Amino acid sequence: MKKAILILTFLFTAAMVLAGCGSGGSSTTTAGKEKIVIGYFPNINHVPAMVAKDKGFFEQQLGDGTTIEYKTFAEGGSFMTALKTGEIDAGLVGPGPAMNNFSTGADVKIIAGASTGGTVVLARKGVEINSVEDFAGKTFITPGVGCTHDVQYETYLEEQGITSQRIGGTMKHLTGQPAQYAAMLKSGKVDIAVAPEPWAAVIEKETGAEVVIGWDEVSFGETLPASVMVTSGKMIEENPETVQKIINAHKEAVKFINDNPAEAQEITIKDIKETTGQELEKDVVELAWERIGFTHEVDSQAIQDFSDSSYALKFLKDKPDFKTLIDRSFLN
């Protein structure tokens, strides 16, 4: 138990360190860029980037004259900062950071989907959750206030009339790194953990926590992208052919994952080990894999519905309109 939790704690910490490493600037801003930097997170929702990296899909699409570099990130804020400052040209991130930055005027475009699912709600061992009403008065934890997982969980319960103390309800909300969840569940500090994969699989396996809302039951679980491919509007305007090739490579990676799941899992374990120095157990990856889907398609309506829910739950001050956030032209 301790080994798995320590490994995932290290993964998160190492990714934070890696987020600040690498070359200072990215590629030039003219057509025919000599270097392209792709960003992604070392977690299971970002497998398409790992597969494309391992199989050389970006290199094949962009040609021998282009150098491909990769940067890894631990959370969406640092990723979006890197995109805005030009440290990366494109990459995978959760839809929440992309939407939040777009709503504040950032130059970001969603150009493809990458994965769906992966959000699981677990109750600590000994806490009985027999109906939705049993969530009232409980203490729950998510990675952040208003993050993708938080909105999914609170939307699910709000439809049943249960809300957090933040907006006058009874549920107490805590935030923290997913690596902390197991210890907080065991100590009784939290009753409910809203966890992304592979953290959910580890918590379930190592603490005896019970899945009370599955990835396909939580709000937007099957439709909302868990990760999306993004770039900047500037990149699209100045280098549309490069963006098209990035999407072509990304689509190849998604197809490979769906055609070769066992090999894709091996690539995932290897990439995370190379990135962080630690190795996820195969059975953890296999369990997490069952709760995630991989697709290059992106559900525009799901993203708008998700943002409307964020507004209704008072995570956003203004009602957003994401009609121009998504550019599907490269998928077609």
Side-chain angles (χ1 to χ4, degrees), residues 9-32:
T9 303
F10 186 90
L11 296 183
F12 189 93
T13 304
M16 287 290 287
V17 173
L18 287 166
C21 298
S23 59
S26 120
S27 46
T28 60
T29 57
T30 58

Side-chain angles (χ1 to χ4, degrees), residues 197-219:
E197 292 294 2
W199 310 95
V202 170
I203 292 168
E204 181 182 4
K205 177 185 176 184
E206 305 293 351
T207 73
E210 180 183 357
V211 175
V212 289
I213 304 176
W215 70 271
D216 54 349
E217 298 173 308
V218 70
S219 294

Side-chain angles (χ1 to χ4, degrees), residues 165-178:
Q165 291 180 350
R166 177 182 56 81
I167 50 177
T170 61
M171 292 188 299
K172 184 178 179 181
H173 183 200
L174 300 178
T175 63
Q177 299 177 8

